[in-house]
Amino acid sequence: DASCGRDENGRSAKKIVKEFSKTIKKRGLSDNISVRYLENTNNLALIESRRRLVSEAQGDYIFMLDSDDFLPPNALSSLYSEAIKLKPDDAKAYYLRGGSYSATASLLKLEVKEGPKVHLVKTHGNDIKAYQDLAIADYNKAIELNPEFLAAVYSSRGSAYYEFGNYKQALADWDKALQIDPTYTAAYFSRSIYYEFVLKDKAKALADINKAIEKNPDSPHGYSMRALKYHTAQKYSMALEDINKALQLDPNLPSAYKFRADIYADLKNYRKAIEDYDKAIQLDPETTYIYMNRAKAYEKIEDYGRAIADYDKVIEDSPDTAIWYYLRGKCYEKMGEPERAKADIAKARELGLGF
C-alpha cells in the first residue's frame, strides 16, 4: 500500500519499503528476499490494484496485506507450513520457509547490535540459534527433494551459513551450487563477498565478479559490483566504464546514477556529479543520502543556496542528526547570514556535536 499516509516516524510507505530493501541488501539476504516496489500513477481502486499485483507477482505464492490490516504473529511462516502440509514434497515451500527463518535470524542479530529495524515475526522469541537451526533444516529438506532449482538452494544455504558465521560450510555450498550450475551468478556474488571480507583476498573476489559477468553479460548487477571494486581501488576510469555499462543495460537504476555521481565528485567534476545526483533523485526521491551528497557537491561549486535546500531535505528526514545542522550552518555562514548560521550550529551542539 503506497498511500499518502505516514508511520509514527513520518516515513511514507515507499520509504519504508526502500529502507527495508537496503537492510536486506546490506545483510546479504538478497538470495532469500526480493523486494519490489510498485506504484500506480492513477487511483485504480482496490480490485484493479490487486489484479495488478497478481499479474506482477513472480513467485509461487501470493499474500496481500492492506494498510488497515494487522499481520498477526506467525502469519507468513504458518502459510508456508500449511503449503507443506498440503504438499509435503514441495521443495519450493521448504526453500522459501528456510529463507524466511534465515532472514529472521539475521535481522534479530541486527536488532541486538543496532536496535529494532523492522517488525519481525518472532515465533521463537529472540532465540537466534532456533531460527538458524530451522533455516538449515528447511534447506536440507529442500536439497533432499532434489528440485530443478537445486543450485539456488545450495547458494541460499551458503548465504545462511555465512550469516551464521560458518564460513567453511558456506564456501562448500557456494562451490556446490556452481558445480551444479556454473551460470548461477548469485553464488559468484556471494562467494566474492566471502573472499573479500573474510579471506581479505581482493583478487579472488574480483575474479568471481568477472566470472559472473562472463556468465551473464546482460545483467547490470555484475558491472555495478565490479565498478565498486574499481572505485575502492581508485581506478576511476575503469569504474566509470563499468557503471556506464550497467546504465546502458538498465537506464533506470538510481543507485548506479548515485554511484557514478560519487565517482565524478572524487574526480572533482562536481557539475557532472550534480547532473547524476539529479537523475538519481528523479528516479528515487525518497533516499536521503543522495540529497546529502548533492549538497556537498553544491558546496564545492559555491552554490550555497541549493546546498541549503538539500540540507533542508536531509534534516527533514533526520531531524536528530547534529552534523547536518552544522553543515547547513556553515553554508549560511558563507552566504553572509550569521544569525541563521549561529542557530544551526547551536542546534548541532544541543544534539551533541563537539567542536
Side-chain angles (χ1 to χ4, degrees), residues 180 186 321:
I180 295 168
T321 304

Side-chain angles (χ1 to χ4, degrees), residues 83-352:
I84 289 168
K85 286 181 184 178
L86 293 170
K87 193 176 179 183
D89 60 349
D90 186 354
K92 178 61 74 70
Y94 287 104
Y95 170 63
L96 292 173
R97 192 174 67 176
S100 175
Y101 287 138
S102 176
T104 300
S106 298
L107 291 169
L108 274 173
K109 285 173 63 180
L110 187 64
E111 279 196 354
V112 170
K113 182 178 179 182
E114 301 181 15
K117 294 292 180 183
V118 294
H119 295 293
L120 294 174
V121 178
K122 301 180 182 180
T123 55
H124 292 265
N126 290 323
D127 189 345
I128 295 172
K129 181 66 164 57
Y131 288 108
Q132 292 174 345
D133 291 343
L134 288 166
I136 297 304
D138 272 352
Y139 284 136
N140 291 345
K141 184 63 178 180
I143 289 169
E144 178 189 321
L145 292 167
N146 195 29
E148 60 181 17
F149 54 92
L150 191 58
V153 183
Y154 273 107
S155 182
S156 294
R157 192 178 71 174
S159 294
Y161 276 127
Y162 179 84
E163 274 295 305
F164 306 159
N166 188 341
Y167 300 129
K168 181 178 179 180
Q169 188 59 54
L171 181 60
D173 274 358
W174 292 324
D175 289 346
K176 181 67 175 179
L178 292 169
Q179 178 187 334
I180 295 168
D181 182 1
T183 69
Y184 192 71
T185 56
Y188 288 113
F189 293 137
S190 297
R191 195 172 67 180
S192 76
I193 293 171
Y194 163 77
Y195 284 144
E196 178 155 1
F197 295 105
V198 177
L199 295 188
K200 310 298 182 184
D201 192 330
K202 295 181 183 297
K204 277 191 172 183
L206 182 59
D208 262 1
I209 295 173
N210 288 339
K211 197 70 175 177
I213 292 171
E214 175 191 324
K215 296 297 183 182
N216 189 2
D218 295 326
S219 169
H221 185 50
Y223 296 101
S224 294
M225 285 191 69
R226 192 168 67 182
L228 180 60
K229 306 295 184 192
Y230 288 144
H231 181 246
T232 303
Q234 297 185 340
K235 297 179 179 179
Y236 298 122
S237 61
M238 298 172 77
L240 278 173
E241 183 179 343
D242 269 354
I243 206 64
N244 287 340
K245 180 64 176 178
L247 285 167
Q248 178 185 331
L249 291 166
D250 186 350
N252 294 309
L253 281 175
S255 61
Y257 285 107
K258 184 267 173 190
F259 182 45
R260 191 171 68 178
D262 290 345
I263 297 172
Y264 283 134
D266 285 339
L267 293 171
K268 303 188 187 312
N269 192 340
Y270 300 113
R271 295 189 186 278
K272 290 279 285 185
I274 289 167
E275 288 178 12
D276 273 350
Y277 288 134
D278 288 346
K279 184 65 176 177
I281 287 170
Q282 178 186 334
L283 293 168
D284 181 12
E286 300 289 335
T287 300
T288 303
Y289 67 77
I290 304 177
Y291 294 92
M292 174 188 74
N293 287 6
R294 189 174 66 175
K296 293 177 181 177
Y298 278 132
E299 283 191 73
K300 293 293 185 180
I301 63 171
E302 300 182 356
D303 190 341
Y304 300 117
R306 286 191 172 92
I308 286 170
D310 276 350
Y311 283 130
D312 287 345
K313 172 64 176 173
V314 175
I315 288 170
E316 178 187 333
D317 288 343
S318 303
D320 297 323
T321 304
I323 188 63
W324 309 135
Y325 292 96
Y326 174 77
L327 293 173
R328 188 175 67 178
K330 299 304 288 184
C331 287
Y332 279 128
E333 191 176 272
K334 290 170 183 175
M335 287 182 69
E337 298 192 38
E339 294 307 314
R340 286 185 169 184
K342 287 178 183 176
D344 268 356
I345 292 172
K347 181 67 175 178
R349 284 197 179 97
E350 178 189 322
L351 290 170

